[in-house]
Amino acid sequence: MPRQSNQEWVRLSMRTPGILIFGMVFAPCGLLLDLIATVAPNWRTLNNLPNIPSTQYIEQGIWDICSASTVSTQVTCNQQDTLYFNNQIIPIAKGLMVASLIVTVIGLCVAIPGVRCWKDRPNWIVAGLGGILIFLSGVMTIIPIAWYTHILTNISTVTSQTNVQVGYCIVLGYIGGIFEILGGFVMFIGICRCCGGKNRGETRVEELTSGRFNHQKAPPRRVEVPNINRARSPARSTASSSVAYSRDSMDDDVSFPRAKSPAPRTVNPGYSRRPYDVDL
């Protein structure tokens, strides 16, 4: 089977395809959320600590640990907890989150030249490769976030655990990872033409040319107006000279002035000579 050339497909619009716009919007949003989840020290929160006022709580992240209070805005960070940072999940989460950020940036750098919003036809292969990298970065974000959430209460620390809650970094990490997975996957499906080219906003040339004539409007139908012939009666013509027209009679006489035919001409039967034009 001969290979289909690009000349058989045409773009219906000069705008950037929707799947590329979707990916280029979701990927930076996911990158920003993952960056906040990586550097912020709030993967989990410890409340109701023993020998500590109930208004104080501890926020633990993968890089730092902070102590805060509900009655003041003062936050004390750089607290030491060797037992917490020696857990297996902490170094793995550090490596995967940093790698996810780097891969996302590389994926965006590859996808931007492929999208080529300044040209009428994008480079789908380059954009698809960028989508794969963004998809993988989202997966690398979800893995440590899900693992940390699964063993949330089992992570050892020097502080007694009485009330452990999920921090906002876990929520932001989930949302950012999902954004990157969706954006990368949608950009990747543009690497192949499917659904009749609808994923790329393209259509076949023959479909476009054949549909141009099939969708033409039919010419307007001509309607013939009937010719109405009304001969005026002699009685009415005689009475019209002496009696004023009534409203009904005026309506009858005025209606359809162009459709009326002239009264028939009479010829004198007793005239034996050849008729002339004045006799007709």
Side-chain angles (χ1 to χ4, degrees):
M1 182 176 180
R3 185 178 179 180
Q4 297 177 350
S5 62
N6 292 332
Q7 300 298 330
E8 298 180 0
W9 298 85
V10 293
R11 295 276 307 279
L12 298 179
S13 175
M14 298 298 293
R15 296 177 298 178
T16 303
I19 58 176
L20 298 183
I21 296 176
F22 184 90
M24 295 303 296
V25 171
F26 270 51
C29 292
L31 175 62
L32 179 61
L33 295 176
D34 290 346
L35 178 62
I36 298 174
T38 302
V39 300
N42 196 340
W43 283 53
R44 71 173 184 173
T45 303
L46 304 180
N47 299 313
N48 300 329
L49 303 175
N51 302 325
I52 295 178
S54 60
T55 58
Q56 293 185 357
Y57 58 92
I58 294 178
E59 298 176 343
Q60 295 179 336
I62 59 176
W63 300 97
D64 198 0
I65 298 176
C66 297
S67 176
S69 176
T70 58
V71 296
S72 64
T73 58
Q74 183 179 2
V75 179
T76 304
C77 295
N78 298 325
Q79 295 189 5
Q80 301 297 325
D81 192 342
T82 307
L83 185 62
Y84 172 78
F85 287 109
N86 287 337
N87 286 281
Q88 183 182 9
I89 183 59
I90 302 301
I92 294 178
K94 289 180 179 180
L96 288 177
M97 294 299 292
V98 173
S100 173
L101 297 176
I102 297 174
V103 174
T104 304
V105 173
I106 297 175
L108 288 174
C109 294
V110 174
I112 289 174
V115 172
R116 296 194 302 181
C117 57
W118 56 90
K119 294 186 178 181
D120 59 341
R121 185 180 294 274
N123 191 331
W124 290 103
I125 296 178
V126 177
L129 293 178
I132 293 176
L133 295 176
I134 295 173
F135 178 86
L136 293 177
S137 67
V139 174
M140 287 189 291
T141 300
I142 295 296
I143 290 175
I145 294 292
W147 188 2
Y148 192 98
T149 306
H150 180 68
I151 61 173
L152 184 68
T153 58
N154 298 328
I155 300 176
S156 57
T157 179
V158 295
T159 306
S160 300
Q161 303 180 32
T162 56
N163 185 6
V164 182
Q165 296 180 353
V166 175
Y168 63 83
C169 290
I170 298 294
V171 179
L172 296 181
Y174 270 122
I175 298 175
I178 293 174
F179 276 12
E180 292 176 348
I181 290 176
L182 292 178
F185 177 75
V186 170
M187 293 181 67
F188 173 72
I189 62 177
I191 202 171
C192 60
R193 185 181 289 108
C194 58
C195 301
K198 293 182 179 180
N199 62 326
R200 294 184 175 185
E202 298 176 348
T203 185
R204 291 181 180 272
V205 176
E206 56 268 19
E207 294 179 359
L208 185 63
T209 54
S210 61
R212 180 181 302 175
F213 297 99
N214 293 336
H215 292 82
Q216 284 185 352
K217 294 182 179 181
R221 186 170 60 90
R222 185 176 181 180
V223 179
E224 297 292 341
V225 178
N227 187 9
I228 303 176
N229 296 326
R230 293 184 179 179
R232 298 178 62 181
S233 61
R236 175 171 295 184
S237 61
T238 304
S240 61
S241 59
S242 58
V243 181
Y245 285 98
S246 63
R247 186 175 185 86
D248 295 336
S249 62
M250 291 178 66
D251 293 340
D252 293 340
D253 293 338
V254 175
S255 300
F256 302 98
R258 295 184 179 180
K260 292 182 179 180
S261 61
R265 299 177 181 271
T266 59
V267 181
N268 188 6
Y271 190 76
S272 60
R273 293 184 301 174
R274 184 177 180 181
Y276 295 94
D277 292 340
V278 295
D279 297 328
L280 298 178

